[in-house]
Amino acid sequence: MEKPKTDKQKPVYGMASNCAFMISRAWRGAKSVLLICAGLILCAVAASLLELFVTPMILDAVGRGVSPGELTVLIAQFALGLVCVYSLQTYLKANTLFGRVYVRLKLSIEQNLLECRTAYPHIEDPDYLQRAAKAERVLTDNNQAGEAAWDTMTDLASNLVSFTIYLLLLSQAGPAISLLTAALAAAGYFAGERIRSWRYRHREEEGKIHHSLNYILRRSQDTKLAKDVRIFGLGPWLVQLYDKHAQLFYDFCVKGRRRYLWADLLDVALALLRNGAAYGWLIALALRGELSPAQFVLYFSAVGGFAQWVTGIFQNLGTLRRQSLELSTLREFLDSPEPFRFDDGAPLAVKPGHLYAIELRDVSYRYPGAEADTLSHVNLAIRPGEKLAVVGKNGAGKTTLIKLLCGLLDPTEGVVLLDGEDIRQYDRRDYYKLFSAVFQQFAFLPGTVAENVAQGEDVDLERMWDCLERAGVADQVRALPQGENTHLGRQLYLDGVELSGGQMQKLMLARALYKNGPVVVLDEPTAALDPIAESQLYQKYHDLTRDATSVYISHRLASTRFCDRVLLIENGGIAEEGTHDSLLELGGRYAYLFDIQRKYYAEGAMENE
């Protein structure tokens, strides 16, 4: 897979490309954004010209001795023009937000869908997650580059048009004055820009402080920590941590303000030099009689405006350059190559009633950045309809083996075969449809019980209740305030309920049964169950996995007696395999571990008695 870009590398997309990207997105989804931007550019230029010419035109009229009525009409025309332009500008600014937010939200949805649909290895890749976080910040709010770039592009275009008009105007008073004004304005900008960009250059430092502050705040508000905070007295410690990082942020801001003060002083000094030279030139021309009073006022006003446009152009270019870097980060993330085949893969339809054979042939897997393989040269053939148990100590590689079987990971060496075919050729989403799984770390959505079991809103109630009964949680669901229509969790619904860990595990088992995939994967499905519920699940194991190939992970070795074959994973490979009874007779590692567990539970039972 291609190595993603880092901050030190040159961005893939330049400023012009990113501007074209934003314009194309608006053209496809919200053309009003482009029309309003064009309107705002025209309004800004028109307002600038009206303000520039109003005083010279009035002076010229007075000099020509026009009547009071004509002078009043002239003033009224300018006033009406300014009112119309500013009113239109205000209206456009009030309505530009909707289209810009629409474009930003469409990009945000595109990024979120990519993160939801991306290959599973990306979810465990710190570099990918960091790039995702940076891309997300680009679209966080109205002030980030995903939306603020529109203001920058609009202001830049307005400044360029006004600069051109003022340049033509000032050139009539002599090229020297326009060149001098432009040179000093540019010098002032570049001299102060290095100072003003200090905060941007230190954005990573600021981001780390913000991240720490937000993390401490989120954790202190997490209801799951409420018991620990009270029992262990963690409140003062959390406050101390927050105050420490808040002081770091305060010190960071003070550093920045000191530098900005020097930039402001430099601006004042260069502005005095620039305006003094330009105004001296104009006064000299007026004293020689080469400028009329109206012309003098016109050029006098134009000097300040011309410097403003030059400075504005450089400021806009600097801002747009920084925003372009952020937009490039977003676009590069959206272009992230996928390690798996999806839409470009071969279709794989689930065959009703067909039991699949899955094989791991000389498979090794090493996690990114790890020094050794988690699994090394594993060979495993799972027969159609077989009930397979996988046991071993924590960290032995059991869950990694399951991820390889399910296609969530691809081997770093070797191949995973489905009915003799390499799974990498298939659309991986089609391959996922073969599996009904209950993982050790499961997730549910803040919807109803029925929606969580059926994985959507189209619920077959009869089938759902059958699955709830088989999973042993039907009675608990019936007892809920609204039965199967009860909302889970309080993150989204105020009337939501919080189920116990054991109830949620059973509900996730019902979800796996509802999917009815030809391969059932159970990763520690009894971890949150009490001993009675665990025993009941063991007794129903064959019923739960009927007409399916099943793989069962457990740290309780007594549960493996319900399976056709047992694998003991140790040292990155299959240490022992056979039935529960045959492995006990073998007297190896499995028998040793089983004997330890047996004694532990026996002693626990005696103590309870």
Side-chain angles (χ1 to χ4, degrees):
M1 184 175 66
E2 179 185 345
K3 186 71 176 174
K5 302 288 181 185
T6 66
D7 285 347
K8 303 254 183 223
Q9 293 173 307
K10 183 178 179 181
V12 173
Y13 301 102
M15 187 188 302
S17 174
N18 288 321
C19 290
F21 170 77
M22 295 295 290
I23 292 171
S24 67
R25 288 307 179 99
W27 182 260
R28 280 159 38 184
K31 293 183 176 65
S32 63
V33 173
L34 304 178
L35 295 175
I36 291 176
C37 284
L40 287 171
I41 293 169
L42 293 176
C43 286
V45 174
S48 172
L49 292 177
L50 286 171
E51 290 175 348
L52 176 65
F53 280 97
V54 58
T55 302
M57 292 290 286
I58 292 173
L59 284 176
D60 181 67
V62 171
R64 289 186 287 107
V66 300
S67 66
E70 291 176 323
L71 185 61
T72 302
V73 170
L74 177 63
I75 294 173
Q77 288 175 339
F78 273 101
L80 180 61
L82 286 169
V83 167
C84 292
V85 169
Y86 284 134
S87 297
L88 179 59
Q89 191 176 48
T90 302
Y91 174 80
L92 292 176
K93 286 182 177 179
N95 286 275
T96 189
L97 181 66
F98 309 109
R100 295 181 183 187
V101 169
Y102 176 84
V103 174
R104 175 169 63 86
L105 291 182
K106 290 291 286 184
L107 287 170
S108 182
I109 291 171
E110 184 176 345
Q111 181 194 349
N112 289 333
L113 286 175
L114 175 63
E115 291 186 52
C116 290
R117 295 172 176 174
T118 191
Y120 185 81
H122 280 159
I123 307 303
E124 297 185 338
D125 182 1
D127 179 72
Y128 181 88
L129 296 177
Q130 184 180 28
R131 292 190 296 117
K134 289 182 178 180
E136 185 178 349
R137 285 200 296 270
V138 179
L139 305 170
T140 303
D141 54 49
N142 310 98
N143 299 318
Q144 301 303 319
E147 187 175 332
W150 291 111
D151 283 331
T152 308
M153 289 189 288
T154 302
D155 291 344
L156 177 60
S158 302
N159 288 333
L160 285 171
V161 174
S162 299
F163 167 80
T164 303
I165 294 173
Y166 275 55
L167 180 63
L168 295 174
L169 179 64
L170 281 177
S171 64
Q172 298 178 14
I177 189 171
S178 56
L179 290 174
L180 177 64
T181 303
L184 289 175
Y189 168 77
F190 285 113
E193 176 62 14
R194 177 68 184 174
I195 302 174
R196 290 192 181 90
S197 63
W198 178 86
R199 189 162 190 164
Y200 180 79
R201 296 196 307 274
H202 292 79
R203 64 191 183 281
E204 295 293 338
E205 178 185 349
E206 183 181 14
K208 290 178 181 177
I209 299 174
H210 268 299
H211 176 77
S212 300
L213 284 171
N214 291 333
Y215 176 78
I216 297 169
L217 189 61
R218 287 196 308 271
R219 296 298 288 171
S220 64
Q221 295 173 339
D222 189 348
T223 56
K224 294 179 181 178
L225 292 180
K227 297 188 293 294
D228 301 78
V229 169
R230 286 157 177 77
I231 295 297
F232 294 100
L234 300 179
W237 180 60
L238 287 171
V239 172
Q240 182 182 4
L241 275 178
Y242 188 85
D243 288 344
K244 174 184 175 183
H245 288 85
Q247 183 64 43
L248 287 175
F249 184 64
Y250 174 80
D251 294 341
F252 177 86
C253 292
V254 169
K255 285 183 188 177
R257 294 314 307 170
R258 288 172 180 168
R259 285 162 174 78
Y260 299 153
L261 176 61
W262 285 108
D264 293 339
L265 293 174
L266 183 61
D267 273 349
V268 171
L270 288 172
L272 288 174
L273 178 61
R274 179 187 68 231
N275 293 339
Y279 297 157
W281 180 278
L282 291 174
I283 291 172
L285 290 177
L287 291 176
R288 292 200 301 266
E290 297 180 21
L291 293 179
S292 67
Q295 288 176 317
F296 177 81
V297 172
L298 176 64
Y299 294 142
F300 193 90
S301 301
V303 166
F306 184 70
Q308 174 186 338
W309 305 136
V310 173
T311 303
I313 289 171
F314 285 118
Q315 287 177 342
N316 292 147
L317 286 173
T319 302
L320 191 59
R321 180 180 63 83
R322 292 192 291 269
Q323 291 172 339
S324 177
L325 291 173
E326 296 175 0
L327 289 172
S328 186
T329 298
L330 171 65
R331 294 180 65 188
E332 289 173 41
F333 177 76
L334 294 177
D335 293 340
S336 297
E338 290 288 354
F340 297 165
R341 301 183 70 175
F342 290 113
D343 295 333
D344 60 335
L348 177 63
V350 178
K351 303 174 185 177
H354 179 71
L355 295 179
Y356 294 85
I358 303 177
E359 180 183 356
L360 274 64
R361 184 176 296 172
D362 197 30
V363 163
S364 298
Y365 186 79
R366 180 177 300 188
Y367 284 95
E371 296 181 357
D373 291 340
T374 300
L375 294 174
S376 181
H377 302 288
V378 172
N379 288 284
L380 170 65
I382 304 175
R383 298 182 295 273
E386 183 179 15
K387 315 301 181 188
L388 180 72
V390 181
V391 299
K393 295 189 296 184
N394 290 337
K398 303 187 299 295
T399 299
T400 301
L401 177 67
I402 291 300
K403 290 177 180 178
L404 290 166
L405 288 172
C406 293
L408 295 174
L409 299 175
D410 272 348
T412 48
E413 291 183 57
V415 62
V416 178
L417 304 173
L418 177 73
D419 284 346
E421 298 292 335
D422 189 341
I423 69 169
R424 287 175 293 192
Q425 66 181 296
Y426 296 121
D427 181 336
R428 194 59 61 97
R429 296 189 185 101
D430 284 349
Y431 183 75
Y432 295 152
K433 294 175 183 177
L434 302 178
F435 294 87
S436 291
V438 179
F439 294 110
Q440 197 170 1
Q441 295 180 337
F442 51 78
F444 70 93
L445 296 177
T448 66
V449 171
E451 289 170 345
N452 271 276
V453 172
Q455 307 117 57
E457 297 180 354
D458 187 14
V459 184
D460 183 336
L461 289 177
E462 182 178 354
R463 179 177 162 195
M464 180 205 69
W465 281 110
D466 175 65
C467 294
L468 291 173
E469 290 283 359
R470 293 167 61 194
V473 73
D475 290 340
Q476 290 95 322
V477 172
R478 291 191 185 96
L480 293 175
Q482 299 179 45
E484 75 276 12
N485 295 316
T486 301
H487 292 116
L488 296 177
R490 297 192 179 96
Q491 296 89 345
L492 188 59
Y493 297 101
L494 296 178
D495 64 344
V497 300
E498 299 286 351
L499 300 182
S500 69
Q503 290 172 331
M504 281 303 305
Q505 202 160 32
K506 290 180 180 179
L507 197 64
M508 295 302 100
L509 179 59
R511 180 174 71 176
L513 295 173
Y514 189 96
K515 184 179 179 183
N516 196 30
V519 182
V520 176
V521 175
L522 304 176
D523 186 359
E524 297 283 7
T526 64
L529 301 183
D530 58 72
I532 295 176
E534 180 184 38
S535 177
Q536 291 173 345
L537 187 142
Y538 292 158
Q539 293 170 12
K540 295 192 296 183
Y541 181 70
H542 279 288
D543 174 62
L544 295 174
T545 59
R546 66 189 178 204
D547 303 324
T549 302
S550 66
V551 181
Y552 179 83
I553 294 181
S554 179
H555 67 280
R556 296 173 184 172
L557 303 188
S559 63
T560 62
R561 67 183 66 204
F562 302 97
C563 298
D564 302 324
R565 184 164 47 130
V566 181
L567 303 181
L568 174 64
I569 304 295
E570 277 191 343
N571 300 320
I574 301 174
E576 297 177 5
E577 66 175 301
T579 64
H580 172 75
D581 293 334
S582 68
L583 290 176
L584 289 181
E585 292 176 4
L586 182 64
R589 283 288 297 167
Y590 181 88
Y592 171 74
L593 295 172
F594 178 80
D595 188 56
I596 292 176
Q597 284 193 0
R598 181 181 59 79
K599 290 179 180 179
Y600 171 80
Y601 286 114
E603 291 171 0
M606 292 176 64
E607 289 176 2
N608 288 335
E609 290 181 5

